[in-house]
Amino acid sequence: GVIVSDVKPESPGSRAGFKPGDIIVAVNGEQIANEDTFNSILVDAKPGDVLHAKILRDRRTVTVDLKLERRPA
């Protein structure tokens, strides 16, 4: 999995409910082995897509929906 280290206020991650320390273990059903796996999913996604992420938080599995947005310039 990939550990969430920071969540910016008012960001898509914040709106989805991500918290620092969360571990992303799957996105859209694909297991996340490492940062490269996670990044390969993001490269194929576009603004407006919704990614369904399974995360581990406090030894529990939580599912969040992350709506992608265009990065600010």
Side-chain angles (χ1 to χ4, degrees):
V2 174
I3 298 173
V4 176
S5 60
D6 187 34
V7 180
K8 304 280 188 233
E10 301 304 315
S11 68
S14 173
R15 284 189 281 283
F18 282 100
K19 297 181 180 183
D22 286 349
I23 302 171
I24 303 170
V25 295
V27 175
N28 292 348
E30 184 175 337
Q31 296 297 318
I32 303 300
N34 53 41
E35 195 172 335
D36 290 336
T37 309
F38 183 70
N39 287 336
S40 71
I41 292 171
L42 290 180
V43 165
D44 292 336
K46 60 188 181 304
D49 286 354
V50 177
L51 303 180
H52 307 287
K54 185 187 299 185
I55 60 175
L56 292 178
R57 177 185 296 154
D58 301 325
R59 298 187 201 151
R60 294 181 312 140
T61 302
V62 179
T63 302
V64 297
D65 294 330
L66 172 65
K67 184 174 182 181
L68 301 181
E69 297 178 4
R70 194 171 304 282
R71 281 189 167 189

